[in-house]
Amino acid sequence: MKIRLDNVMKTFETFRAVHGVSLEIESGELVALLGPSGSGKTTILRMVAGLEYADAGHIYFGAEDATDIPVRDRSVGFVFQHYALFPHMTVAENIAFGMKVSKVRRDKAAIDTRVTELLRLVQLDGLGQRFPGQISGGQRQRVALARALAVDPKVLLLDEPFGALDANVRRDLRRWLREIHQELGITTLFVTHDQEEALDLADRVVILDKGRIVQQGTPEEVCRNPASAFVMNFLGDTNRFSAAVSGGVARLGDAKIPAPGFADGPVEIFLRPSDLGWSHAGEGIAATVARVIDRPAGRRILALTATGEAVELDVAPETVVSAQQKGVITIERARVYAAA
Amino acid sequence: MARRILPGFPLALGITLVYVSIIVVLPLGALVFKAASLGFEDYWRIVSSPRAVASYRVTALSALAATVFNLVFGMALAWVLVRYRFPGRRFIDALVDLPFALPTAVAGIALTTLFAENGWFGSVLAQAGIKVAYTPLGIMVAMAFTSLPFIVRTVQPVLEDLDPALEEAAQTLGGSDRSIFLRVILPLLAPALLAGLSLSFARSLGEFGAIIFIAGNQPMSTEITALLTFIRLEEYDYQAAAAIASVLLIAAFLMLAVTNILQARALRYTARG
C-alpha cells in the first residue's frame, strides 16, 4: 500500500516537532527515516500509525485519507523500540493477541496455525510457550515483529527497531529483516538515528533535521551527493575546514580544491577520513601526527595541522606511521559547501 | 557459607528476628496459648455459639462488601490520580492517606454524625428509605473508609510503571478499549490488586474503633467479632475472648495465604527459566 504524507505538521505544547513534511512511500518500498534526536522522525512515524494526530496536513493510505482513522482501525503493524511485548502472555499468546481481539472472528485452530507459521517465519519455532522475560533481546524483537505481522497490516512501521540490541545481533537482524521484507513485500517505514543501519537496510533514506526533510534518495544518492553540510556531517565522520574561493578554486594549505560555481568568498570544505591520505611530501596540508588508532580495516591518524586544527584520516593497515611524525595530508576528494 | 559483598547480614537478621518475635509472635502465641487452655469442647462451644457466629457473619460479609467497593472505587481513584493531570490532583492524592492518619474513633464519630438520621447524608438517605447508621450498612461504610488507602496505594505505583507502549501496541493490533483493559491492563494489575484486596479485607475484619460508633452494636445483628472479643475481655473471660479472637486470627491468616498463592500464580510470568 502506498503511503503519502501531505504537508503534515505537529506541535507539542510550544515545541514544533514536525514542520510541514511531505513524503511519498511507494507500495512495497522499505524506507528509513533518519535523523538526530529531536528531528521529528519518531513523531512522523507515530502520526502514520495513528498514535499521534497531525495538527495539520493529511496522511493517505493508497487513495484513502487516513488522517482521522483511529489507530485501531488503521491496520498498521507497529514495532516499538523496547518491544512492548505483553509480559504476562507467552510468546504465542503475544503473537495471537491481534487475531484474538480482532473484529474478524477466527477459530482457535486457525489462530494456532497462523502463530506456528509466524514463529517459523521469525525463526523462533519451539519458543511459543516461553514468556518474554525468558528470551533474549533479539528474540523479543522478532516476537514483536511476528505480533505486528499477525494481523496482516497494510504497512509495517518500526521505531528504532534495533536500538536496544548488541552490535552483532543488530547486524544479523538487519539482514534478516531485509530478507523478510523481500519475502513479504510489505510497505515498510522505519526510524533510526544510526546512519549505518539506514544505509544498510533501506531502499530509500529520508534525512530529517529539526522537523524538516533535508534530503531523500537512495543510499547511493545521499552518500555520494549529500545535499547540505548537515547531511554530510550526519552521514559519517568528517573534517570541516573554512577556506576562501578565488577564481573557482579553494585553497587548503597548498592543495587546490576545485569549487566550480562558487563565487569568490568564504566556503566550508568537508573531507571524510577516507578522502585523505598521508604522505611525507607533496601537495596538501602540513600536519603532525598526534595519535594513531588501529582498527581491523586500517589505521586512523589523528593529526594536527600547522594552524592547530584537528584532522582525522584513514590509511591502509600497512602504513608505517607513529605519533609526532611530521608529514602532509593529501586530499583525494572534497566537498565544498557555501559558508553557513 | 559463601562470602557476601553486602555487609551486615547476621546483625540485620538477628535484629529482625528479635523484633518479629517480641512484637508479632509473642502476643499471637499468648493468644493461641490462652485459647488452647480451653478444652476442645469448651472452645467449640464458645466459638460456635449463635452470638459469635452471627458476629462472624456480619463481620465477614461487611468486610467483603467493603473490599469489593474499595476494589472498584480504589482502582478508579488510582487510575485517575496516575493517568490524568488536573488541578487539585496532589490534594486528592494526599487525602487518600487520611483514613490511615485519622484516629479510627474520630472517623467513626464523624461517619456516625454524617449518616445518622438527622445527619447530612443520613437525612437525605432516610427519605429514600435507606438507613445506614446502626445497621450492617454502617459497618460497611466504616470498613470501606478505613481500608480505602490499601487498594489505592498498592495499585498506584504499578499503574505508574505500566509502559504506555503496551497499550499503544494493543491499539495498533486492533484491540478495543474494553479488550485492552481486560486482557492487558487488568492482568498486569492483578498482583497489586490482590495484595491491596487482602490487606483491605484483613484490615476490615479487624477494624474496631471506627465501627463501634456507627454499628449500633446489637448482638445477633450489628455486633462485630472484634467487639464481642472486647466484651468478653470486659467480663474478665479471657479464655473466651482469646477463643473468639483466634477465629479472626485464623480467618485473616487463611485469607493472606490464599491471596499469596493467587499472587504467585498471577506473577508466574516473571519467573526466569
Side-chain angles (χ1 to χ4, degrees):
Chain A
M1 171 118 349
K2 180 176 166 168
I3 307 170
R4 190 159 67 83
L5 278 71
D6 181 18
N7 206 15
V8 169
M9 264 181 236
K10 180 76 190 178
T11 308
F12 293 112
E13 287 174 17
T14 56
F15 171 67
R16 172 68 63 88
V18 178
H19 300 259
V21 162
S22 296
L23 179 64
E24 286 196 15
I25 298 145
E26 295 302 326
S27 191
E29 210 179 6
L30 177 49
V31 171
L33 292 176
L34 175 65
S37 55
S39 61
K41 55 192 190 306
T42 296
T43 308
I44 294 175
L45 192 79
R46 290 172 62 86
M47 285 192 289
V48 174
L51 291 170
E52 308 278 358
Y53 282 111
D55 294 336
H58 293 272
I59 296 165
Y60 297 92
F61 281 18
E64 188 185 12
D65 185 348
T67 318
D68 294 319
I69 298 179
V71 48
R72 58 173 60 97
D73 301 322
R74 230 179 251 208
S75 68
V76 295
F78 201 101
V79 176
F80 292 82
Q81 182 176 6
H82 298 290
Y83 328 118
L85 295 178
F86 306 125
H88 58 295
M89 297 182 199
T90 62
V91 165
E93 285 166 347
N94 263 284
I95 297 174
F97 181 86
M99 294 184 274
K100 280 185 189 156
V101 300
S102 162
K103 284 166 197 153
V104 186
R105 289 260 157 259
R106 294 173 174 84
D107 60 31
K108 200 181 168 307
I111 292 177
D112 288 347
T113 314
R114 180 89 176 112
V115 168
T116 315
E117 204 178 286
L118 283 159
L119 279 171
R120 187 163 314 127
L121 178 76
V122 299
Q123 298 162 5
L124 291 173
D125 318 60
L127 292 186
Q129 293 318 305
R130 300 274 189 93
F131 285 102
Q134 300 168 329
I135 58 178
S136 73
Q139 289 172 330
R140 276 178 226 174
Q141 194 57 288
R142 285 188 273 163
V143 175
L145 185 68
R147 183 179 68 175
L149 290 172
V151 287
D152 297 315
K154 295 178 199 158
V155 207
L156 187 59
L157 306 168
L158 305 105
D159 184 11
E160 303 258 3
F162 313 122
L165 300 170
D166 291 348
N168 286 333
V169 180
R170 201 146 70 195
R171 194 165 47 236
D172 290 348
L173 274 181
R174 252 187 244 159
R175 299 286 150 82
W176 169 83
L177 180 65
R178 183 77 221 180
E179 282 167 29
I180 294 228
H181 177 258
Q182 219 106 47
E183 200 175 317
L184 302 176
I186 180 170
T187 310
T188 305
L189 184 60
F190 77 98
V191 155
T192 181
H193 64 268
D194 179 349
Q195 66 282 9
E196 198 189 318
E197 190 166 291
L199 298 171
D200 188 333
L201 197 50
D203 296 323
R204 202 150 56 84
V205 178
V206 178
I207 300 167
L208 292 149
D209 182 34
K210 301 195 183 86
R212 288 192 173 86
I213 294 176
V214 290
Q215 189 175 7
Q216 51 177 310
T218 62
E220 189 185 357
E221 284 163 7
V222 298
C223 285
R224 298 300 148 244
N225 249 323
S228 65
F230 170 82
V231 175
M232 181 77 190
N233 223 339
F234 188 67
L235 285 181
D237 294 349
T238 51
N239 298 291
R240 196 178 93 180
F241 290 93
S242 297
V245 170
S246 90
V249 175
R251 287 183 169 276
L252 211 53
D254 54 5
K256 294 186 193 70
I257 296 159
F262 283 91
D264 288 3
V267 288
E268 284 187 328
I269 296 174
F270 286 81
L271 305 159
R272 297 231 183 266
S274 57
D275 294 340
L276 302 172
W278 182 251
S279 129
H280 295 289
E283 264 190 6
I285 309 162
T288 311
V289 175
R291 214 179 130 206
V292 180
I293 300 168
D294 278 291
R295 292 174 171 179
R299 314 188 80 184
R300 170 159 291 192
I301 299 172
L302 310 187
L304 282 176
T305 66
T307 52
E309 283 171 291
V311 182
E312 299 194 7
L313 56 144
D314 287 339
V315 294
E318 308 76 47
T319 314
V320 180
V321 61
S322 58
Q324 305 313 323
Q325 192 180 326
K326 286 184 193 307
V328 173
I329 299 169
T330 57
I331 299 168
E332 281 156 42
R333 279 175 297 275
R335 291 204 68 86
V336 183
Y337 294 97
Chain B
M1 191 154 66
R3 291 178 63 186
R4 290 167 198 282
I5 297 293
L6 296 177
F9 174 69
L11 185 65
L13 183 71
I15 292 174
T16 311
L17 285 181
V18 169
Y19 268 68
V20 167
S21 307
I22 293 175
I23 295 176
V24 180
V25 178
L26 204 63
L28 293 185
L31 173 71
V32 173
F33 182 76
K34 203 74 181 170
S37 65
L38 288 163
F40 178 77
E41 269 171 38
D42 284 338
Y43 179 82
W44 185 252
R45 185 176 46 73
I46 292 167
V47 301
S48 66
S49 71
R51 187 171 169 186
V53 171
S55 84
Y56 307 147
R57 187 187 307 121
V58 70
T59 307
L61 288 180
S62 305
L64 194 69
T67 304
V68 170
F69 175 81
N70 278 344
L71 189 69
V72 176
F73 182 64
M75 198 164 87
L77 193 53
W79 183 270
V80 168
L81 288 175
V82 172
R83 288 297 169 106
Y84 306 109
R85 292 292 171 270
F86 53 91
R89 189 183 70 92
R90 286 170 163 280
F91 179 70
I92 294 180
D93 196 31
L95 220 54
V96 168
D97 285 328
L98 203 62
F100 277 167
L102 202 64
T104 53
V106 174
I109 292 167
L111 289 172
T112 311
T113 315
L114 280 176
F115 283 101
E117 261 172 78
N118 54 2
W120 289 353
F121 296 168
S123 57
V124 178
L125 289 169
Q127 283 168 16
I130 301 167
K131 203 169 171 306
V132 176
Y134 317 122
T135 69
L137 204 56
I139 300 176
M140 202 212 86
V141 169
M143 284 175 169
F145 179 85
T146 50
S147 64
L148 172 69
F150 285 109
I151 304 246
V152 179
R153 292 297 182 231
T154 49
V155 170
Q156 208 174 6
V158 181
L159 208 50
E160 255 159 21
D161 286 345
L162 207 63
D163 184 0
L166 290 178
E167 282 161 72
E168 292 179 345
Q171 284 195 336
T172 61
L173 292 165
S176 62
D177 289 338
R178 192 183 119 88
S179 60
I180 292 172
F181 183 76
L182 292 179
R183 287 168 184 269
V184 178
I185 297 171
L186 208 54
L188 290 172
L189 291 184
L193 278 173
L194 274 169
L197 192 138
S198 69
L199 289 171
S200 169
F201 188 72
R203 168 73 193 255
S204 295
L205 280 185
E207 182 52 44
F208 179 73
I211 296 171
I212 51 170
F213 290 99
I214 200 171
N217 306 327
Q218 292 299 312
M220 307 304 291
S221 73
T222 58
E223 183 180 59
I224 56 165
T225 310
L227 178 66
L228 186 60
T229 311
F230 184 71
I231 290 170
R232 290 289 174 263
L233 278 180
E234 297 254 276
E235 294 163 351
Y236 302 105
D237 190 352
Y238 295 134
Q239 288 177 327
I244 294 167
S246 73
V247 174
L248 269 188
L249 183 69
I250 291 164
F253 187 77
L254 278 179
M255 221 266 319
L256 290 175
V258 167
T259 49
N260 270 330
I261 292 167
L262 289 176
Q263 220 179 347
R265 283 179 54 143
L267 277 171
R268 80 204 138 96
Y269 64 85
T270 55
R272 306 270 151 180

